[in-house]
């Protein structure tokens, strides 16, 4: 079902234009800029079962994606090593991490599911999703927990920055434990041997930044620690680099260099957290009615500082001021389905016709033979981007 252009404020706007509009969370603005600069609207769904497979997949497809989606609870050996590995690759290859937790419980329980336990999702996933069926407290409870985690993170940053070099290496980070559930306290029993598997300098730097206990004090210089965390504390990154480049033009070597420089300038994502509401599902016979979807939009508008957008099959931006990001699962290069109710649409159908923003592809990429996974990601990247460009062209023809 194609959304009507009259009632769709973002349908014919570029990601770059949208990134500069108000009514966006810092993270939404960052993500739109990232998509615009990296020229990819592909999210790979990494539904694999071990840390090694997850990190290998992230490494292989990282350059082609804007978001990597995880299901942490299906990873047999999920641990701090998983988190540090993911963080390192996401910083280096530039993509956001989205934990597909599909929260759906009373507020007090889901605050704990978000911040505690072996997954402690709030610490490492920029994006999570939730169903609205328990009621709007789902949004406010998650937002409150996210806010505490951000405050704890920023407190620890301030502590690190203001401490003397020696103190920041030895004592940093013990002041943030007042924030229940959001501190790194529960890292205490993590196995230091895990660290041996991450060998790049960047990984060492981000390990140190995360590691408030100073276990690796001697490896990275103090200035590296401070600059890493200073970037992360920024609540609203400046709108840089400028978005002058016309994303609809084809790439050449010069442009590739320019893109690399702009991406480097974009820096790491701000330490913020956002929510995607599960507004529509791809599975056959699902019970998410149009009324339920409309409620998701209603409550998203009331919580624009935390709700980045939706998981849905079509764009739900209908009123002036709507600039929600829609991510669409159930995507393959041909229409079809699986044996368990999954239904697939093409990138053309969901991006060009449905007006959505990001395609989520799981088995279409990780189901390919290992040697072909990178090429599969590239294929989906191109299909998603072509569909977006087709939509922009249709918009130009209407003018
Ligand atoms: O491409 P697939 O079918 O291998 O994987 C699709 C991924 C899976 C699902 O858990 C998820 O997308 N998903 C979701 C999400 C992202 O919330 C909603 C939905 O309606 N359908 C769906 O498949 O990881």
């Amino acid at each position: 079902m194609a959304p009507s252009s009259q009632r769709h404020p973002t349908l014919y706007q570029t990601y770059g234009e949208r990134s500069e509009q108000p009514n966006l969370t810092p993270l939404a603005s960052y993500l739109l800029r990232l998509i615009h600069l990296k020229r990819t609207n592909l999210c790979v769904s990494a539904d694999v079962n071990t840390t090694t497979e997850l990190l290998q997949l992230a490494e292989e497809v990282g350059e082609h994606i804007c978001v990597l989606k995880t299901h942490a609870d299906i990873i047999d050996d999920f641990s701090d090593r998983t988190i540090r590995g993911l963080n390192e690759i996401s910083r280096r290859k530039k993509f956001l991490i989205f934990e597909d937790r599909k929260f759906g419980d009373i507020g007090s329980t889901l605050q704990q599911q978000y911040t505690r336990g072996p997954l402690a999702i709030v610490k490492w996933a920029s994006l999570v999703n939730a169903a609205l069926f328990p009621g709007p407290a789902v949004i406010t409870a998650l937002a409150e927990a996210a806010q505490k985690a951000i405050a704890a993170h920023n407190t620890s940053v301030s502590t690190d920055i203001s401490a003397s070099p020696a103190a920041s290496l030895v004592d940093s980070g013990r002041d943030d434990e007042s924030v229940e559930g959001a501190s790194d306290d529960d890292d205490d029993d993590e196995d230091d041997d895990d660290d041996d598997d991450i060998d790049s300098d960047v990984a060492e730097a981000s390990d140190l930044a995360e590691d408030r206990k100073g276990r690796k004090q001697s490896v990275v210089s103090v200035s590296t620690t401070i600059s890493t965390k200073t970037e992360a504390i920024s609540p609203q990154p400046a709108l840089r680099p400028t978005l002058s480049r016309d994303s609809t033009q084809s790439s050449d070597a010069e442009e590739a260099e320019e893109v690399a420089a702009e991406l480097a300038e974009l820096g790491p994502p701000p330490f913020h957290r956002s929510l995607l509401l599960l507004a529509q599902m791809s599975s056959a016979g699902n019970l998410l009615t149009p009324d339920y979807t409309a409620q998701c939009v209603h409550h998203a508008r009331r919580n624009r500082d935390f709700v980045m957008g939706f998981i849905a099959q079509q764009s739900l931006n209908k009123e002036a001021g709507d600039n929600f990001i829609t991510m669409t699962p159930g995507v393959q290069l041909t229409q079809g389905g699986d044996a368990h109710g999954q239904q697939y649409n093409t990138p053309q159908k969901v991006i060009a016709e449905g007006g959505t923003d990001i395609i989520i592809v799981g088995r279409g990429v990780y189901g390919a033979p290992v040697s072909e996974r990178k090429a599969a990601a590239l294929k989906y990247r191109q299909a998603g981007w072509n569909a977006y460009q087709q939509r922009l062209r249709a918009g130009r023809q209407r003018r």
Side-chain angles (χ1 to χ4, degrees), residues 104-267:
D105 210 320
I106 59 165
S108 131
T109 300
L110 57 82
Q111 282 190 336
Q112 297 178 67
Q113 292 171 324
Y114 191 24
T115 60
R116 305 300 297 245
L119 301 184
I121 295 164
V122 76
K123 287 196 226 165
W124 52 272
S126 297
L127 305 174
V128 291
N129 53 356
L132 195 64
F133 58 77
V138 164
I139 303 173
T140 48
L142 286 173
E144 186 182 275
Q147 209 44 54
K148 284 183 179 171
I150 293 165
H153 175 86
N154 288 348
T155 305
S156 81
V157 175
S158 311
T159 307
D160 281 0
I161 292 172
S162 58
S164 70
S168 76
L169 285 175
V170 176
D171 295 321
S172 66
R174 304 319 296 164
D175 294 348
D176 62 354
E177 290 173 10
S178 55
V179 180
E180 197 193 346
S183 80
D184 281 355
D185 212 19
D186 33 4
D187 285 350
D188 285 0
D189 55 359
E190 77 196 34
D191 185 354
D192 283 351
D193 291 342
D194 287 345
D195 302 347
D196 296 340
D197 295 341
I198 303 170
D199 56 4
S200 82
D201 288 343
V202 183
E204 295 286 1
S206 83
D207 283 356
L208 189 65
E210 295 295 327
D211 186 349
R212 317 244 180 87
K213 293 175 75 178
R215 280 188 300 261
K216 297 182 160 194
Q217 300 93 333
S218 60
V219 191
V220 182
S221 73
V222 175
S223 60
T224 303
T225 308
I226 290 175
S227 68
T228 301
K229 295 197 124 190
T230 305
E231 283 175 325
I233 197 174
S234 163
Q236 174 73 67
L239 289 181
R240 61 182 168 80
T242 52
L243 298 169
S244 52
R245 190 162 46 81
D246 178 358
S247 67
T248 60
Q249 273 166 20
S250 61
S251 172
D252 55 15
E254 228 174 63
E255 189 176 326
E257 222 170 86
E258 200 184 314
V259 170
E262 286 174 340
L263 276 175
E265 210 190 317
L266 182 66

Side-chain angles (χ1 to χ4, degrees), residues 265-310:
E265 210 190 317
L266 182 66
F271 191 92
H272 270 260
R273 298 292 179 253
S274 288
L275 180 67
L276 296 155
L277 287 175
L278 188 70
Q280 295 173 330
M281 290 201 72
S282 60
S283 45
N286 73 75
L287 304 178
L288 306 193
T289 62
D291 275 356
Y292 164 87
T293 304
Q295 283 298 311
C296 287
V297 177
H298 172 74
H299 287 289
R301 287 183 184 136
R302 296 173 66 134
N303 294 277
R304 289 183 202 270
D305 52 349
F306 185 53
V307 178
M308 174 191 276
F310 308 102

